[in-house]
Amino acid sequence: MTLDQIKSCPKNMLLATDIAKYLECDPNLIRWQAHHEPEALGFPVVVMGSRVKIPKESFIKFMEGRLTP
């Protein structure tokens, strides 16, 4: 999935599987990081039990270098 495809996705919340190809990593790595060291990801995540969701707008801003701490 490209960043343009992520931008055009109608969902407000993304899953690890949605962004893993763009980040060139395994979705399970994103999930593990979100549970154990979410600050290391660099973008906000929402963890609900075993589920991990990523706010789309924040992820896009992070990837474009526009996310401010």
Side-chain angles (χ1 to χ4, degrees):
M1 191 176 264
T2 67
L3 192 57
D4 286 333
Q5 289 171 318
I6 292 171
K7 288 178 182 180
S8 65
C9 178
K11 303 186 292 186
N12 290 323
M13 300 295 277
L14 303 169
L15 303 175
T17 52
D18 295 328
I19 65 168
K21 286 184 182 177
Y22 181 75
L23 295 176
E24 298 179 3
C25 69
D26 189 289
N28 288 325
L29 179 59
I30 297 168
R31 291 183 195 103
W32 185 93
Q33 196 76 42
H35 282 278
H36 295 92
E37 298 174 323
E39 65 282 352
L41 286 169
F43 50 86
V45 293
V46 178
V47 177
M48 299 175 294
S50 64
R51 299 190 184 268
V52 173
K53 299 196 178 212
I54 301 106
K56 181 174 84 171
E57 289 302 317
S58 295
F59 178 75
I60 291 168
K61 285 180 182 179
F62 171 76
M63 295 312 299
E64 293 177 337
R66 299 183 296 122
L67 186 64
T68 55

